[in-house]
Amino acid sequence: AVATNYPQGLQLFNATTGAAAPHLPSFMGSISYSPVIVGNIAYSRTDSQLQAINLDSGEALWTISGLGYGTQKIVLNDQYLFYKQAGQIRVYDRATGVLAFRLDTPSSSHGELLLGSRNNILDINYQSITSFDLSTRKQNWSRSVSGNVSYDNYALANGQFYFRDYSNVYSINEMTGTLSWRWDGNIYSTSSILATLTHVFVTSSATTYALSATTGEQVWSYEAGGKLALGADGALYIQS
């Protein structure tokens, strides 16, 4: 599904052939951000609303109105939808759109949310990284950062959270927030990080570096930088 503005709504496509399927009109105006599709339900948002749409019938299952500016990406688990606004992570029931609970965060900046691997959620922004336990609904830990931690500048793997903070790469324990290692590669571009079981790949505008996932030591480098992707064949692809 692709969000469209003219006309407003969701344009569906056959994933096998690319043929256009029916266009579903938006019930809430222009859809500002990419929808998230789970089964036959699309979760979409504008700057002021969240909505769940049945893709078979085009029916709006629920709508949450009156939201201000918040996190851009919709984050879901099996039960909840997560949205951060004004210093709070608001947690909604996915089936009904009813507010289930709130998590107060140390930072009022919107940042981004990332589901962890230990029934936790990470609040990532320009001031801090904070982990919350979704079972107890309490903060696990919070760590101040100096800036520049944003989309594509972090990855989660091996029970570690890897992130760029200006020219440095850090690895911190997902459950405790303690520092495992730091690598200062003196690189300042904001390209992507990709993590595997054995390596953490990070790029500058001109070079890709492979770091040991356990120690942070540089293993090799390659003179091409840009967006990173890992293929099913185990090859690392660099879009420069």
Side-chain angles (χ1 to χ4, degrees):
V2 176
T4 60
N5 286 327
Y6 303 101
Q8 293 176 349
L10 292 175
Q11 175 64 58
L12 307 185
F13 294 90
N14 184 297
T16 302
T17 66
H23 183 275
L24 301 180
S26 172
F27 294 90
M28 56 180 186
S30 176
I31 299 174
S32 307
Y33 307 100
S34 298
V36 175
I37 311 296
V38 181
N40 68 334
I41 300 176
Y43 300 88
S44 58
R45 65 165 292 241
T46 68
D47 288 334
S48 62
Q49 292 182 313
L50 289 164
Q51 190 174 70
I53 302 170
N54 185 303
L55 295 177
D56 294 328
S57 65
E59 174 191 7
L61 302 177
W62 51 256
T63 301
I64 302 168
S65 302
L67 299 175
Y69 182 75
T71 46
Q72 294 188 7
K73 293 191 297 182
I74 294 173
V75 176
L76 305 170
N77 67 8
D78 290 340
Q79 186 175 4
Y80 297 118
L81 180 150
F82 303 87
Y83 179 83
K84 185 183 178 185
Q85 179 188 11
Q88 285 187 334
I89 300 174
R90 301 184 180 188
V91 185
Y92 297 93
D93 187 284
R94 254 181 58 181
T96 64
V98 173
L99 181 66
F101 58 94
R102 296 181 175 93
L103 300 170
D104 292 323
T105 66
S107 171
S108 60
S109 64
H110 304 304
E112 296 170 358
L113 300 176
L114 176 68
L115 284 172
S117 61
R118 306 290 194 274
N119 196 33
N120 59 314
I121 191 166
L122 297 170
D123 172 33
I124 305 160
N125 58 71
Y126 290 99
Q127 299 169 329
S128 62
I129 302 169
T130 306
S131 172
F132 293 91
D133 187 311
L134 294 177
S135 298
T136 63
R137 302 179 185 180
K138 293 182 179 179
Q139 178 179 304
N140 288 325
W141 53 264
S142 186
R143 183 184 184 92
S144 296
V145 294
S146 56
N148 208 35
V149 182
S150 59
Y151 181 64
D152 272 356
N153 271 350
Y154 55 81
L156 186 66
N158 314 314
Q160 298 287 311
F161 181 68
Y162 307 99
F163 67 96
R164 286 266 299 276
D165 190 358
Y166 287 111
S167 65
N168 304 318
V169 177
Y170 297 84
S171 173
I172 60 176
N173 184 284
E174 180 186 356
M175 290 305 298
T176 65
T178 55
L179 179 67
S180 299
W181 52 258
R182 164 182 163 172
W183 179 74
D184 187 356
N186 197 30
I187 52 177
Y188 291 90
S189 69
T190 56
S191 294
S192 55
I193 282 182
L194 190 152
T196 69
L197 290 174
T198 57
H199 293 85
V200 177
F201 302 100
V202 60
T203 67
S204 69
S205 57
T207 307
T208 295
Y209 302 88
L211 312 178
S212 166
T214 54
T215 67
E217 295 180 358
Q218 182 177 320
V219 179
W220 53 259
S221 64
Y222 182 77
E223 291 186 2
K227 300 293 184 180
L228 302 177
L230 192 66
D233 56 356
L236 178 68
Y237 294 87
I238 307 170
Q239 181 186 29
S240 59

